[in-house]
Amino acid sequence: MAKKFVYFFSKGKSEGNATMKSILGGKGANLAEMCSIGVPVPPGFTVSTEVCDYYYKQGNKYPSQLQKQIDANIAMLEKTMGAKLGDSNNPLLVSVRSGAAVSMPGMMDTVLNLGLNDAAVAGLAKKTGNQRLAWDAYRRFIDMFGNVVMGVDHDHFEEKLTTIKKKYKAEQDNDLTVTQLKELVHEYKNIYKKYVKKPFPTDAKSQLMAAINAVFGSWNIERAVIYRRINKITGLLGTAVNVQAMVFGNMGSTSGTGVAFTRNPSNGEKKFFGEFLINAQGEDVVAGIRTPEPIEELKKEMPKIYKQLDGIKEKLEKHYRDIQDVEFTIQEGRLFMLQTRTGKRTGLAAVKIAYDMVKEKMITPQEALMRIEGEQLNQLLFPIFDPIAVSKAKKIVTGLPAGPGAASGQVVFTADDAQSWKRQGKKVILVRHETSPEDVAGMDAAEGILTSTGGMTSHAAVVARGWGKCCIAGCSSLNINYSKKQITVGKTIVKEGDYLSLDGTTGEVMLGNVKSTTSPVISGVVENNSVAKKSPIYKMFIQIMKWADQYRKLNIRTNADTPKDSAAARRLGAEGIGLTRTEHMFFEGERIWAVREFILAQDLKAREVALKKLLPYQRKDFEGIFKEMDGLPVTIRLLDPPLHEFLPNDADGEKEMAKRLKISSAELKDLVKKLHEINPMLGHRGCRLSITYPELCIMQTTAIIEAAANMAKKGIKVFPEIMIPLIGTVNEFEYLEEIVRKTAESILSKVKSKVKYTVGTMIEIPRAALVADKVASKAEFFSFGTNDLTQMTFGYSRDDAGVFLPEYIEKKILSADPFQTIDQEGVGQLVETAVRLGRKTNKKLKCGICGEHGGDPESVKFCHKAGLNYVSCSPYRVPIARLAAAQIVIQEKGKSKK
Ligand code: PEP
Ligand code: MG
């Protein structure tokens, strides 16, 4: 039997159905399905995506059986409609539309009113009793066919329309009379002939074949290819072509057309949402020539049609069990549905619709969880801009959306200014080339942070995400001039004190103070605000998280450096701390001077003096964190970054440093110079610091264990996990482990405490992953530092890769930024290897991840599959990680059922 390439659909007689999207495309599959369930749809047929695939694979040729199948389907359509293509009494007119398995709105070609010629136009006029409609359809068809199918510039037709309108003093297209439209049709045919070098085709079947050809050809036009690339649409066979009997919404006051959603797609409200136009065709709605009316008005204007439409809406939603986005046309009081598809929605709507549908018993909690994307859930947590205000705002540049939310404020260029302006009650946006740990107080004071360099794991990005603060990083076209205190972007100049607004979800930077609102989830969950807890958004969030927790197997921890962050993360569901970066506390207040004294000290004694000053600060910090994390594990990492990061980098700072150390500026400069490293990321950092300065490891261990013992005495349950960073060999680990244990044991026996602690390591150097069996024979836990592991596996600097990564992704050398989504093939292989080898020698080895990937849904799912015990992420990513961890379990359950 010949292979089937064409599928017919008409009331109760469909050859396809909704499950056949891959070969019928979304539109074709749903048209067929709607016919089967008794929804009124103009009949037609779908030429499958397999034809598109064949066409491109065989060098623009069609399967030999295709023509025969199309002819048979035309005959069937003619019979169903009781009309004939090109007939002078009762012509059949069709629309020819594209439709891939994944919707690509407006990207490919469409031809309407096909089948018109000099005979059919007369037939259409007779049949409709409407000469104007017939000739207007004819001129539109020549324009559309000429442009879409034959590539004649639409402007040529448009110019002629303007000339004729001027000639007859017609203001609107609608003002042209039948005679004038006939003249226009004549002129349009001339234009067609001039550019195509052939007369306009009068044979309706030839028109149809040419239009089908054009739609298949449009699969690979530039905008469609780019759209697929941007939206990561891959693996499709091509587009299908839908040929469908035309219905006219422009046949007078009992006709019309519209688009609608079965629920509100921006806030999820269960209310029919849409617009329509009386006496119009679909393209009039899209072109925005006339302003459509809200769908409720249809209730007044055509109550019967509204009732029918409302019934269809209910039917479709029940049938598809999801929000639908529909198109409809009313022809002289008869309603036809032209399309239905799953409606695109905002984050808030996604959550509300999923939640409501469970309550309505339409879907299960598992399905609800699978329908919410991590980033959609995230949208509930952050302040958002008012969409109307955004549409009016001037966007000046787009950078990397590094920290989510919406922030507006006055521009300042230094961390000090950020703090002092805030003290004066102002809201500020801190603008820097890149931030450093020295800027943290200013970053904290700012509403949002904007940087011109640095990627998604740059300092600004990591810190901002940790706080749930809005940040746009790597805005390379920003020209920041610190001395003039201004930014230049193209011709726009932004001065200190001017307002900027940052959209951390899209990466857009806007001029002015754009209006925004706070999330009730954050007020309710993190700030414990009782009013916010009554908000439906808060309640939905709590319920969704409860469902997620019922399924997930992974534990979710957080990366937090302060008691405040720890508390916020715990409220958001963190089950412990996976990473405390001790260095983040080094900048606060007076302690930075003790840190600097330690770094610049010339002998052990001087270093010990400095460290003694630091000890109480660290101990207090840890006590605060243990208290907040009562009953949960807390992983604290020994000092990691290169030391020069803590030194002053301006003249004033150096002067004060010299004064405090009682040395000359020249001597200080000399000392600082000695600390300079060409390649600090591969230099004196991580465990290497404590190996060269064991006294540092002793001080930090002392602070941790004393804090733990003090808190335990107060009845707090403490589970300290001491983590050694950046090891590459087991010897490094062993050397430091011994110091840690000796120090810890001596303190515990001195204070008579029975606190239990563990010692483990980060795995962030590929070598460590490869010798994980040896490392695990000593270490009690592994935490994958996938920021560094990615940096060292690829050899891409995590701070500089922003320069070339976008192009790598654009050119498909990489499918995604490996600093955001874990590279499963390479870095992932190292993770899997290390887990496998590690558990060989240490069956109880606890494994987690604390790189930024711990908050990325795809990476979380990978971590589950790799057998990790937990993921650790920034406090405000905890809910996303909880959701992703549940989704992978549900996904696996679904697979094992099949
Ligand atoms: C990492 O490298 O993944 C990590 C968590 O450590 P840091 O980002 O502090 O280098
Ligand atoms: Mg690291």
Side-chain angles (χ1 to χ4, degrees), residues 637 640 685 762 764 788 798:
R637 176 177 77 182
D640 179 59
R685 61 170 286 218
M762 292 192 73
E764 43 190 346
D788 271 311
R798 55 197 267 195

Side-chain angles (χ1 to χ4, degrees), residues 57-350:
K57 283 193 179 140
Q58 303 299 323
N60 301 3
K61 282 204 197 86
Y62 290 108
S64 58
Q65 316 92 311
L66 183 66
Q67 188 66 54
K68 226 169 121 188
Q69 294 188 19
I70 290 180
D71 289 347
N73 275 273
I74 293 173
M76 208 147 41
L77 184 57
E78 287 179 332
K79 199 169 153 219
T80 311
M81 293 299 290
K84 257 189 151 25
L85 269 183
D87 194 74
S88 59
N89 277 312
N90 191 8
L92 168 67
L93 300 191
V94 294
S95 64
V96 181
R97 297 175 209 255
S98 60
V102 178
S103 130
M104 296 167 52
M107 288 301 129
M108 291 179 289
D109 290 342
T110 293
V111 185
L112 302 177
N113 301 330
L114 189 137
L116 279 172
N117 54 29
D118 291 349
V121 73
L124 181 64
K126 242 188 260 169
K127 183 174 160 179
T128 59
N130 190 336
Q131 289 262 357
R132 244 212 117 263
L133 172 117
W135 286 92
D136 189 50
Y138 197 13
R139 68 101 188 162
R140 284 182 198 235
F141 173 53
I142 301 171
D143 177 350
M144 214 172 202
F145 187 88
N147 174 245
V148 170
V149 181
M150 305 311 290
V152 181
D153 197 334
H154 171 66
D155 288 347
H156 298 312
F157 297 107
E158 208 51 35
E159 273 165 30
K160 190 48 80 183
L161 175 63
T162 314
T163 317
I164 296 247
K165 268 163 64 183
K166 246 195 207 146
K167 184 171 154 190
Y168 295 111
K169 300 197 170 54
E171 283 212 353
Q172 304 284 335
D173 298 3
N174 285 354
D175 298 336
L176 291 173
T177 64
V178 174
T179 324
Q180 290 157 1
L181 282 169
K182 283 182 180 170
E183 183 181 336
L184 191 59
V185 164
H186 180 73
E187 293 291 349
Y188 272 19
K189 282 186 187 164
N190 286 341
I191 293 171
Y192 183 95
K193 194 168 172 191
K194 181 174 169 196
Y195 291 99
V196 180
K197 314 256 179 299
K198 270 192 241 165
F200 183 72
T202 49
D203 175 44
K205 227 179 234 180
S206 318
Q207 291 174 356
L208 179 59
M209 293 318 295
I212 291 176
N213 196 49
V215 174
F216 281 134
S218 68
W219 174 250
N220 268 350
I221 52 175
E222 199 183 351
R223 65 165 190 261
V225 172
I226 292 174
Y227 183 89
R228 288 200 291 276
R229 189 165 68 218
I230 293 172
N231 291 282
K232 300 194 177 87
I233 300 171
T234 54
L236 302 189
L237 290 172
T239 182
V241 181
N242 297 292
V243 179
Q244 193 176 17
M246 280 293 297
V247 280
F248 294 92
N250 54 347
M251 284 180 74
S253 61
T254 55
S255 302
T257 188
V259 290
F261 287 83
T262 52
R263 301 184 188 216
N264 185 319
S266 41
N267 63 18
E269 195 187 355
K270 193 180 181 210
K271 199 171 160 207
F272 203 18
F273 179 91
E275 333 178 288
F276 73 101
L277 268 176
I278 293 285
N279 193 17
Q281 275 198 306
E283 38 173 351
D284 302 328
V285 182
V286 180
I289 306 163
R290 285 165 56 194
T291 311
E293 296 179 68
I295 202 87
E296 298 87 69
E297 291 299 310
L298 190 66
K299 208 179 200 167
K300 290 183 207 148
E301 296 189 32
M302 297 184 182
K304 266 199 186 138
I305 293 284
Y306 182 84
K307 203 169 159 215
Q308 189 191 358
L309 188 61
D310 197 52
I312 291 173
K313 169 206 103 174
E314 292 285 320
K315 186 170 194 166
L316 288 176
E317 221 185 49
K318 277 213 181 86
H319 185 73
Y320 286 97
R321 303 161 71 241
D322 204 351
I323 173 182
Q324 296 296 299
D325 164 2
V326 298
E327 283 179 26
F328 62 90
T329 286
I330 306 153
Q331 178 176 313
E332 296 190 307
R334 259 184 88 188
L335 174 67
F336 294 94
M337 302 308 290
L338 300 186
Q339 169 157 308
T340 189
R341 59 183 172 197
T342 308
K344 292 219 174 3
R345 60 207 92 173
T346 62
L348 172 60

